[in-house]
Amino acid sequence: MIGNDIVDLQAAAAESRITRKGFLDKLFLPAEKKLVQDAGNPVLITWLLWSCKEAVYKIVNRQTGDRRYAPHHYAVQLEGMNDEDAWGSVVHANMAYPFRTCFTSQAVHTYAASSIALLKQLTALAGCFQTPSFTALLQQNGRLLLLEKLYKDPSGIPWIRDPHTGEMSPISLSHHGNYTGILLPPGF
């Protein structure tokens, strides 16, 4: 299973006041709040943690059908970070989901999977490309034909059809502000 989340930092700054009283308490566990409070760039860490939880929520939702989002049930374990990306895992219900996050000064894009082996095989279209729509993103990446293969099931969960076998595979779509992220399974 796979999931991704993207945060447009400019849109997030306009929509959310992360410094308001109770904001961090509502979303983060004590160790996560400490990461934010100790960070040189607390805004970036806030949205990094948020996007990790959201990406894994999408996996859990796909696995269980449960649409209830309870941020305290998702524990982010940040293993490493540099100027361009971060990595680690998110634990939910005693299951660890590895993630990778790419960020720039404009956006944070996290993708996660049910295993490290699957995570390494995924194709993340988006990185941090600014796009007004999925169509523009696919045109920008030379993959416009993918649009003809995208489907959403009755629950709104996206899938892609393999043109050769007809087999359906899960994908993950994410959009925020002016940014779009698409996570494709191996082979696409």
Side-chain angles (χ1 to χ4, degrees), residues 23-146:
F23 184 89
L24 296 180
D25 294 330
K26 181 177 162 184
L27 301 176
F28 301 128
L29 297 166
E32 297 164 344
K33 288 189 291 188
K34 183 155 178 42
L35 280 174
V36 172
Q37 292 161 349
D38 293 348
N41 186 342
V43 171
L44 182 65
I45 298 300
T46 297
W47 297 119
L48 164 66
L49 296 172
W50 169 261
S51 68
C52 291
K53 290 177 183 244
E54 280 286 319
V56 172
Y57 164 77
K58 290 176 182 177
I59 296 171
V60 171
N61 171 254
R62 188 184 293 260
Q63 289 174 328
T64 66
D66 185 4
R67 297 186 62 89
R68 178 188 47 187
Y69 183 62
H72 288 153
H73 293 180
Y74 297 79
V76 179
Q77 298 175 346
L78 187 60
E79 295 170 14
M81 183 172 161
N82 59 37
D83 290 341
E84 297 175 357
D85 60 357
W87 56 94
S89 61
V90 177
V91 177
H92 173 75
N94 295 318
M95 176 81 172
Y97 298 88
F99 73 84
R100 174 133 189 230
T101 301
C102 303
F103 40 81
T104 68
S105 59
Q106 295 87 27
V108 173
H109 182 222
T110 296
Y111 55 101
S114 54
S115 72
I116 192 71
L118 179 57
L119 184 73
K120 290 179 179 182
Q121 296 176 40
L122 298 173
T123 301
L125 290 179
C128 293
F129 297 113
Q130 186 171 358
T131 57
S133 67
F134 290 128
T135 303
L137 175 67
L138 294 173
Q139 286 172 328
Q140 184 176 4
N141 285 282
R143 298 190 182 209
L144 188 56
L145 295 177
L146 288 178

